[in-house]
Amino acid sequence: MLLRQLVAAVALLLTIGPAGAPGSLQAQTPATSPAKRRVALVVTNATVVTVDGSRRVLSPGAVAIDGADIVGVDTPSAIAAAFQPAQTIDGTGQILLPGLINTHTHAAMVLMRGLADDLALMDWLQQYIFPAEAKAVSPAFVRTGTRLAALEMIRSGTTTFADMYYFEEEVARAASEAGLRGVLGQTIIRFPVPDAKTPEEGLARTEKFLTQWKGHALITPAVAPHALYTLDASTLKACRALADRFGAPLLIHLAETRAEVDAALTLAHATPTQYLEGVGLWGPRTLAAHGVWVSPSDTEILKAAGVAVSHNPESNMKLASGTAPVVDYLEAGVRVALGTDGAASNNDLDMFEAMRFAAFLQKHARNDPRALPAATVLAMATREGAAALGMGDTLGTIEVGRRADVILVETRGARQTPIFDPVSHLVYVAHGDDVTTTIVNGKVLMRDRKVLTLDEAAVLADARAAADMVRAAVKK
């Protein structure tokens, strides 16, 4: 018994040791908490609408951003405990959501905003737009127009846009300088246009554009055959081959009007969707704008080929082109994203308006208030837009590892009060001018409604001067 007590006492002395020595009680106090990770930016105290697969909403929530990436999404206290930011944005009273993705624009055409209204599509194009473009469009015109469009998009929460126009290298330069992300398609068309006199010249210009901008952090160059009715089969096939060779997206207008479908049936004995399948145009990373006049068999073709559709409700309504069968597309498994179209036929680039009208139009057309609910529309403007452009793994949601393309939307004004459901609010209440902060690729482009990457006064002055040229071009 005495021996056991002696052994125990010795063991206790060895454990305690002299004060401060290894193995002492002081040495066994809990370790200090790990150092916080240093990051560039934390946005905190906002209602975070992630638009991820679980449709998670954190209220309040916070997001940590480092470089171009989202590195943390959690409660404000958890983010504060884990990260040490170089700067912080307080999102109190605001909603933080993924930046909006506009999948169909002609950005420079903001300079033709309101040029000709209340006309059918072909009258609008042939009597006003094509003649004005022939006289006014130049590299300088496109650059000025794109800078104006970029200013409008940054102010209204669009962080990525898909574009089809001429002198697309100027669109790329202006967009990248403003800090916007773009999937930009050099247009190829049958008749002489400002940057190419023949389709062959247009294809050569497109190949050069693809080569020059391949691998850019913000700009994804694309091939943009204008439409079935403005190109022949051989050029359409050449567009597909060029896109395949570069692994580039392909953007095209599809079945926008009933007249387009009737002409295709008369001349080719096929719908536009069927005809384009026949020439081998459909393929991976293909985005068809409008898709208003499609049959169930057309929808199956698009589904089988993995073609996504950009729905443009405001332009379709304004030009009386028809109502796209969005709910049918979704039920069939066709991916549907949202776009504004060009500001010449909309007449703005506000994606919040596009969301609201997309929901209302389907409810009205189907006589069903449950058609196209708010959560589905918000996904179309964010997550589904990213996937339609081939960027579904990197954009469109607020998740760790995604690019830091996010926006803050104010909710404390009279129009936004009260707020019960942030997703409903974003689709049915918010306007573009409710956006307070826009961040793309981790860079703050606008903070507290002040645009940081563009000289707003200079952009507006240049745009007004360019508008005088447009006015002169259409003066009769």
Side-chain angles (χ1 to χ4, degrees), residues 94-182:
Q94 300 177 76
I95 299 172
L96 183 71
L97 69 149
L100 304 181
I101 298 175
N102 188 342
T103 54
H104 186 55
T105 70
H106 310 288
M109 292 182 77
V110 290
L111 294 177
M112 300 178 187
R113 191 193 321 263
L115 174 65
D117 292 320
D118 306 324
L119 296 169
L121 175 64
M122 288 305 170
D123 289 341
W124 177 76
L125 281 173
Q126 294 172 0
Q127 295 180 27
Y128 290 90
I129 299 303
F130 288 158
E133 288 178 333
K135 295 178 181 178
V137 173
S138 67
F141 178 96
V142 171
R143 182 171 179 79
T144 297
T146 303
R147 282 167 57 82
L148 178 61
L151 179 63
E152 182 178 352
M153 287 189 280
I154 290 169
R155 283 201 161 281
S156 57
T158 291
T159 54
T160 298
F161 70 108
D163 193 66
M164 299 172 67
Y165 209 57
Y166 311 116
F167 299 111
E168 203 67 26
E169 69 278 2
E170 296 297 334
V171 179
R173 291 190 189 103
S176 61
E177 288 169 6
L180 283 175
R181 198 181 300 278

Side-chain angles (χ1 to χ4, degrees), residues 215-354:
H216 193 275
L218 292 174
I219 304 302
T220 300
V223 182
H226 179 264
L228 173 153
Y229 58 88
T230 54
L231 291 166
D232 59 26
S234 63
T235 304
L236 289 166
K237 291 177 181 179
C239 289
R240 177 77 265 169
L242 184 60
D244 288 345
R245 181 150 57 90
F246 279 85
L250 187 145
L251 315 174
I252 189 169
H253 296 93
L254 172 68
E256 184 174 358
T257 65
R258 181 73 207 193
E260 178 185 337
V261 177
D262 290 344
L265 289 170
T266 299
L267 298 173
H269 306 291
T271 68
T273 304
Q274 293 166 344
Y275 178 83
L276 293 171
E277 180 191 34
V279 300
L281 185 83
W282 301 134
R285 295 189 73 183
T286 301
L287 182 62
H290 301 296
V292 174
W293 294 93
V294 293
S295 66
S297 59
D298 289 335
T299 299
E300 288 303 316
I301 290 171
L302 297 175
K303 164 63 176 172
V307 175
V309 174
S310 174
H311 176 43
N312 294 247
E314 293 172 278
S315 173
N316 294 160
M317 287 190 290
K318 182 168 182 273
L319 294 170
S321 298
T323 303
V326 172
V327 175
D328 293 341
Y329 280 138
L330 295 174
E331 290 177 349
V334 174
R335 193 176 299 281
V336 183
L338 276 183
T340 60
D341 210 344
S345 63
N346 180 321
N347 293 16
D348 61 38
L349 302 176
D350 187 341
M351 281 289 289
F352 285 93
E353 281 188 4

